[in-house]
Amino acid sequence: MVDASVSASAETAEQLLEELLRATHEASPAELPGALDRYTEAMRMGRAVVYLIDLQQRLLMPLAEGEPRLGLDDSLAGFAYRTDTVRVEEDGADGLALWLPLMNGAERLGVLQLRTVSLDGLTLWRCRMLASLLALVITSKRTYLDTFAQRIRTRSMQLPTEMVRAFLPPRSIGTGRVVSTAVLEPAYELGGDAFDHSFTEDVLHASILDAMGHDLASGLTTSVAMAGSRNARRTGADLAALVATVDEALSAWLPDQFCTGVFVRLHMPSGVLRWANCGHPTPLVIRRQRLLEKELERASEPPLGLPAQLSNATRQIHETTLEPGDRVLLYTDGVVESRDEGGEQFGLERFADHIIRSTAAGQSAPEVLRLLIHAILDHRHRELSDDATILMIEWHPPDPGP
């Protein structure tokens, strides 16, 4: 153990932290690992290596050159990522390796490795703070540094997928009351699937879309639908007006295209859920480890972009109240209709059973979906015939107290 007297003083620590912040603002992607190493060595925290999760959440990819990729399911680094916990192991004869999850809210970005000779409570606390800071740095820089995008890819991406992914939000978002998390495959050859989620004040907004076809036009349809939804949302439109905006945008700009979709709004303090289903599979509710398959089933409505051609009726907005711990699942038909070599569908029952068992095992919501999408891919030997997208909302209001 390191005696507190030899740890960096508070004043020195603040000066070094200021230097690190300045360096991260000014550093190019190639210079960032060096700037990080200078800080961690000065703080007696050892050598640092940042690992980012790949697009399919199977590998941890080193940001610095010369470091090996790490498997998510067969390494201590992967365990730290999967469980959102700090892990420590021996590193050679006289050293330790720390693995700290890199998280921005509910979003899991990767892990930070720190190799040090010894460890005390103050140093561990500083390691945790460094991991939190790096998560914010990575989140802010990845929007304009293609190096991060390159690092997390294991192969080239098709053009329609590149376009749709440019519109996608983070995989997971959350507050103390709710988590919304999503996965979509095939990661590099998407057709017209997409998801969206965001917060305004005390409301969670979420949606899932599935455009007709599997080409650039389908990706463009999804992109226009997402843009229309965000434009309406950011001008304060209610849910009915938001769906009407998407309908009008598709009718005006892509009259030969359409897509299905579900748009939901969850009032986080009360659990009131409002939604519109536009020709899409019915969302599911899992409550107390049971699937409530028809809890949100309502009369079918036409897909987005078509109502003017099929009906003059306005879109229906539905409402219900969730119970604490409920999980709401939005999904595209490629999830349950995926077939193995024998023609057997993955199916709704198996879909729900994976979530229920993973939840019972104590897995976090993002980890539940990671395991589920891998099970779907393995069912098809990693070759999907259709896009498979899942968005899950987990509502946990704070205890009311005595």
Side-chain angles (χ1 to χ4, degrees), residues 192-193 208-213 218 220-226 246-247 250 254 256-263 278-280 301-307 315:
D193 276 19
I208 194 166
L209 299 163
D210 185 358
M212 172 188 68
S218 60
L220 183 60
T221 303
T222 298
S223 299
V224 170
M226 279 199 289
V246 176
D247 275 329
L250 291 176
L254 297 166
D256 297 326
Q257 296 291 123
F258 66 89
C259 69
T260 66
V262 177
F263 300 87
C278 307
H280 201 79
E301 293 198 35
L304 294 154
L306 291 186
R315 294 286 191 183

Side-chain angles (χ1 to χ4, degrees), residues 312-365:
N312 291 323
T314 58
R315 294 286 191 183
Q316 297 300 303
I317 306 301
H318 312 289
E319 183 176 306
T320 190
T321 301
L322 300 181
E323 294 185 8
D326 278 358
R327 290 184 168 187
V328 179
L329 291 148
L330 315 181
Y331 64 97
T332 59
D333 52 15
V335 172
V336 296
E337 294 177 3
S338 172
R339 297 178 183 272
D340 62 15
E341 292 175 343
E344 181 184 3
Q345 286 190 344
F346 190 80
L348 194 61
E349 183 176 343
R350 191 176 332 198
F351 173 46
D353 184 60
H354 266 275
I355 293 174
I356 291 169
R357 286 191 290 108
S358 296
T359 303
Q363 306 286 1
S364 66

Side-chain angles (χ1 to χ4, degrees), residues 99-120:
W99 298 98
L100 301 101
L102 294 172
M103 300 184 65
N104 182 20
E107 186 184 15
R108 305 184 297 178
L109 304 172
V111 296
L112 170 65
Q113 182 194 41
L114 290 167
R115 293 174 176 145
T116 184
V117 174
S118 55
L119 185 66
D120 62 8

Side-chain angles (χ1 to χ4, degrees), residues 107-360:
E107 186 184 15
R108 305 184 297 178
L109 304 172
V111 296
L112 170 65
Q113 182 194 41
L114 290 167
R115 293 174 176 145
T116 184
V117 174
S118 55
L119 185 66
D120 62 8
L122 177 60
T123 302
L124 178 58
W125 178 81
R126 286 173 172 168
C127 291
R128 290 177 179 273
M129 295 304 102
L130 177 62
S132 296
L133 173 63
L134 285 175
L136 295 174
V137 170
I138 293 166
T139 301
S140 67
K141 286 182 173 291
R142 66 182 174 180
T143 57
Y144 63 88
L145 293 182
D146 279 352
T147 298
F148 291 140
Q150 291 171 334
R151 286 287 190 271
I152 66 174
R153 298 183 185 188
T154 59
R155 60 181 186 270
S156 60
M157 183 176 289
Q158 292 185 352
L159 178 58
T161 309
E162 193 77 63
M163 178 174 62
V164 171
R165 282 200 173 276
F167 275 88
L168 293 181
R171 186 185 288 122
S172 302
I173 62 174
T175 70
R177 289 174 172 160
V178 68
V179 171
S180 178
T181 184
V183 289
L184 70 171
E185 287 281 353
Y188 297 88
E189 301 91 16
L190 281 174
D193 276 19
F195 69 90
D196 197 13
H197 47 200
S198 68
F199 295 113
T200 57
E201 301 299 333
D202 53 7
V203 175
L204 166 70
H205 307 257
S207 60
I208 194 166
L209 299 163
D210 185 358
M212 172 188 68
H214 294 85
D215 52 19
L216 190 60
S218 60
L220 183 60
T221 303
T222 298
S223 299
V224 170
M226 279 199 289
S229 170
R230 290 173 179 176
N231 181 254
R233 187 175 72 223
R234 291 165 182 171
T235 55
D238 62 20
L239 195 52
L242 181 147
V243 178
T245 298
V246 176
D247 275 329
E248 292 166 3
L250 291 176
S251 298
W253 297 104
L254 297 166
D256 297 326
Q257 296 291 123
F258 66 89
C259 69
T260 66
V262 177
F263 300 87
V264 306
R265 289 186 175 180
L266 173 63
H267 184 246
M268 293 182 287
S270 66
V272 171
L273 182 77
R274 306 182 76 240
W275 78 98
N277 189 340
C278 307
H280 201 79
T282 299
L284 307 176
V285 175
I286 293 179
R287 176 175 296 160
R288 294 188 290 275
Q289 308 303 325
R290 290 179 53 247
L291 171 65
L292 307 182
E293 183 178 342
K294 298 184 178 181
E295 179 74 8
L296 304 184
E297 185 174 356
R298 301 293 187 273
S300 179
E301 293 198 35
L304 294 154
L306 291 186
Q309 303 171 32
L310 302 179
S311 171
N312 291 323
T314 58
R315 294 286 191 183
Q316 297 300 303
I317 306 301
H318 312 289
E319 183 176 306
T320 190
T321 301
L322 300 181
E323 294 185 8
D326 278 358
R327 290 184 168 187
V328 179
L329 291 148
L330 315 181
Y331 64 97
T332 59
D333 52 15
V335 172
V336 296
E337 294 177 3
S338 172
R339 297 178 183 272
D340 62 15
E341 292 175 343
E344 181 184 3
Q345 286 190 344
F346 190 80
L348 194 61
E349 183 176 343
R350 191 176 332 198
F351 173 46
D353 184 60
H354 266 275
I355 293 174
I356 291 169
R357 286 191 290 108
S358 296
T359 303

